[in-house]
Amino acid sequence: MSKKDKVLGPEPYILPNNIIQKVHAAMHENVTELAELFKVLSDPVRIHILKALEVQELCVCVLVEITDYKHSALSYHLKLLKEAGLVGSTRNKNYQIYCLTDLGRSLLKAIKRTFDQ
């Protein structure tokens, strides 16, 4: 290669300062709650519970009857879903009835829109 031949690299990747500030802010946002939500959703058992509750509000005893899971295991999963704000519950005589919260319902709808395309 002669002295007058130059190897030119790509043009510099330049962003406006306001975009750099927005990217910086996004990278430093507290995403702990969101990460915890994804952890809760990472277990297929919990997703199955959410899908079942989408059909009907249920007590743990019904979930035990229609699955191979133990009462204690289902209660544990329901507790995590409740702590994440995806499931709520009410007492009906001797039964704790579980239902989707608005967040749980919205999340399932968003997942369906994304994966049912």
Side-chain angles (χ1 to χ4, degrees):
M1 190 162 39
S2 70
K3 289 184 179 183
K4 61 181 178 178
D5 294 332
K6 291 184 181 178
V7 177
L8 297 176
E11 292 181 31
Y13 189 75
I14 300 172
L15 294 172
N17 281 341
N18 65 327
I19 299 298
I20 291 172
Q21 289 171 352
K22 288 179 182 179
V23 170
H24 186 269
M27 293 298 294
H28 288 87
E29 247 179 64
N30 184 349
V31 294
T32 304
E33 273 187 50
L34 184 58
E36 290 300 319
L37 179 61
F38 279 106
K39 285 180 190 176
V40 169
L41 293 172
S42 69
D43 191 307
V45 173
R46 294 191 279 269
I47 295 172
H48 284 129
I49 291 170
L50 291 173
K51 291 176 83 51
L53 293 177
E54 186 177 31
V55 174
Q56 174 68 46
E57 296 178 356
L58 300 167
C59 69
V60 179
C61 59
V62 172
L63 292 168
V64 168
E65 287 296 318
I66 60 175
T67 67
D68 292 331
Y69 301 114
K70 294 181 180 181
H71 188 281
S72 59
L74 287 168
S75 292
Y76 169 75
H77 289 296
L78 284 162
K79 174 183 163 266
L80 293 178
L81 290 166
K82 195 171 181 179
E83 288 173 351
L86 300 172
V87 168
S89 68
T90 56
R91 171 119 352 241
N92 184 347
K93 298 181 184 174
N94 294 330
Y95 301 99
Q96 192 75 12
I97 307 297
Y98 291 89
C99 62
L100 290 178
T101 61
D102 290 341
L103 174 60
R105 194 169 279 100
S106 296
L107 183 67
L108 284 178
K109 284 180 185 176
I111 290 169
K112 282 182 181 181
R113 278 193 311 270
T114 302
F115 291 102
D116 289 347
Q117 294 177 359

